[in-house]
């Protein structure tokens, strides 16, 4: 098994957890292909916010690209090129094989080194689209945002659609939402106890921390909104927290100064 060099133990452990989770996307390859052929994996909210930018045929970089269906959707929505990067060789290989089977010109270079060090040249992207991405890094957000700003050409945009930082505190009870006593909004990290990243360490950030990270990376904030819909509804659960009265996701659009 390939082991990344110069990467700390928690990143290695996370990569192992993601490689294990990604087996699902290999088992379900046929369903994934069918989904890619018939619909979009992007949330309606993401499409609404991205559409004016995608109308300009941007070159897109998609960090932490995962199963690769968003890359396919971004191409279908107007991107001229999409490069997805991920540190899980299982995920990246499966995403590349699916794109090849669909005859799409997509690349998923493996992201071998540390997270805030994407192996792509400065200024190569008109648009960076990130979803469920930056809480995998320590220190969450700051170094990641600097690397995303580096990838953008002057005037290029960073679009983020993430789980709201409060989500780690919501219980998944179906009757009423409880605040988990084993979690803190201001903690540094917690161990994920859900599929798909069960066992992986997630680093925490506050909403203010995420915005400040983008500003300190030299980006101008153009939009910030909190949304009730969850990023991830896992099988068979109907959590009260997902019924519209609590924040579960946020979207952020920032621009590198022209
Ligand atoms: C929740 S998935 C997001 C997938 C995709 N952005 C989407 O919206 O469907 C998170 C992805 O981040 C990748 N990842 C986690 N930590 C990483 C790291 N340190 N470097 C590179 N990729 C990482 C995982 O392998 C996983 O595929």
């Amino acid at each position: 098994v390939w082991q990344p060099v110069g990467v700390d133990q928690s990143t290695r452990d996370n990569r192992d957890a993601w490689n294990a989770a990604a087996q699902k996307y290999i088992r379900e390859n046929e369903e994934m292909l069918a989904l890619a052929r018939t619909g979009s994996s992007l949330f309606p909210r993401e499409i609404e916010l991205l559409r004016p930018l995608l109308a300009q045929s941007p070159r897109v970089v998609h960090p932490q690209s995962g199963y690769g269906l968003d890359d396919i959707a971004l191409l279908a929505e107007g991107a001229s090129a999409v490069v997805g990067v991920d540190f899980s060789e299982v995920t990246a290989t499966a995403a590349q094989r699916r794109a090849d089977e669909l005859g799409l010109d997509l690349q998923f270079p493996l992201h071998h080194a540390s997270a805030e060090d994407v192996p792509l040249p400065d200024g190569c992207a008109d648009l960076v689209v990130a979803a469920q991405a930056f809480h995998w890094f320590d220190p969450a957000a700051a170094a990641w945002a600097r690397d995303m700003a580096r990838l953008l050409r002057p005037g290029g945009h960073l679009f983020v659609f993430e789980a709201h930082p409060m989500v780690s505190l919501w219980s998944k009870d179906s009757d009423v939402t409880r605040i988990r006593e084993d979690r803190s909004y201001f903690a540094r990290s917690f161990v994920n106890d859900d599929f798909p990243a069960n066992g992986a360490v997630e680093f925490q950030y506050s909403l203010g921390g995420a915005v400040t990270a983008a500003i300190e990376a030299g980006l101008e904030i153009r939009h910030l909104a909190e949304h009730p819909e969850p990023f991830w509804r896992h099988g068979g659960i109907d959590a009260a927290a997902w019924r519209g009265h609590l924040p579960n996701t946020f979207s952020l659009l920032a621009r590198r100064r022209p």
Side-chain angles (χ1 to χ4, degrees):
V1 175
W2 166 76
Q3 286 295 342
V5 179
V7 166
D8 61 31
Q9 191 58 42
S10 80
T11 304
R12 286 165 188 257
D13 292 346
N14 276 7
R15 196 182 59 95
D16 290 347
W18 276 112
N19 271 337
Q23 296 296 339
K24 173 179 163 66
Y25 300 132
I26 294 179
R27 284 193 304 276
E28 296 174 4
N29 188 46
E30 288 308 312
E31 289 98 305
M32 302 264 130
L33 282 171
L35 195 63
R37 286 193 180 100
T38 55
S40 173
S41 58
L42 294 168
F43 290 92
R45 185 85 66 184
E46 289 179 284
I47 294 180
E48 176 192 322
L49 292 163
L50 283 170
R51 192 157 273 152
L53 295 170
L54 290 169
Q56 296 165 33
S57 309
R59 294 162 301 152
V60 177
V61 171
H62 180 208
Q64 291 78 62
S65 49
Y67 62 2
L69 292 191
D70 284 4
D71 306 67
I72 294 170
L74 288 162
L75 207 56
E77 290 287 339
S80 60
V82 184
V83 179
V85 275
D86 202 287
F87 75 164
S88 155
E89 74 270 25
V90 178
T91 294
T93 306
Q96 187 67 66
R97 206 182 54 219
R98 259 192 300 277
D100 294 347
E101 279 178 50
L102 291 165
L104 297 172
D105 185 16
L106 285 169
Q107 276 91 49
F108 295 92
L110 247 190
H111 185 168
H112 285 247
S114 72
E116 58 272 20
D117 205 6
V118 173
L120 294 173
D122 297 359
C124 66
D126 303 307
L127 175 63
V128 171
V129 176
Q132 286 289 76
F134 63 69
H135 49 116
W136 301 108
F137 312 125
D138 185 20
W144 182 88
R146 277 198 297 278
D147 205 39
M148 297 306 114
R150 176 187 71 75
L151 294 173
L152 288 172
R153 64 153 170 86
H157 287 82
L158 169 66
F159 175 76
V160 170
F161 189 71
E162 279 285 330
H164 194 282
M166 284 300 288
V167 162
S168 59
L169 274 72
W170 306 147
S171 77
K172 304 268 169 42
D173 296 305
S174 63
D175 54 348
V176 66
T177 308
R178 298 174 177 83
I179 303 285
R180 290 182 59 150
E181 297 207 341
D182 60 336
R183 300 270 170 90
S184 157
Y185 187 73
F186 297 106
R188 189 174 168 78
S189 66
F190 65 90
V191 177
N192 183 303
D193 53 11
D194 268 341
F195 183 85
N198 203 347
V201 174
E202 284 191 42
F203 297 99
Q204 291 180 237
Y205 54 87
S206 63
L207 196 54
V211 171
T212 301
I215 293 169
E216 287 181 354
L219 302 173
E220 295 168 348
I221 307 295
R222 310 292 296 234
H223 158 100
L224 172 67
E226 295 158 282
H227 313 293
E229 62 266 23
F231 189 92
W232 172 243
R233 291 174 197 267
H234 51 94
I237 296 177
D238 176 28
W242 300 340
R243 293 191 195 130
H245 61 303
L246 292 172
N248 280 289
T249 38
F250 74 94
S251 52
L252 182 148
L253 183 66
R255 186 177 68 152
R256 186 172 159 186
R257 286 193 188 82

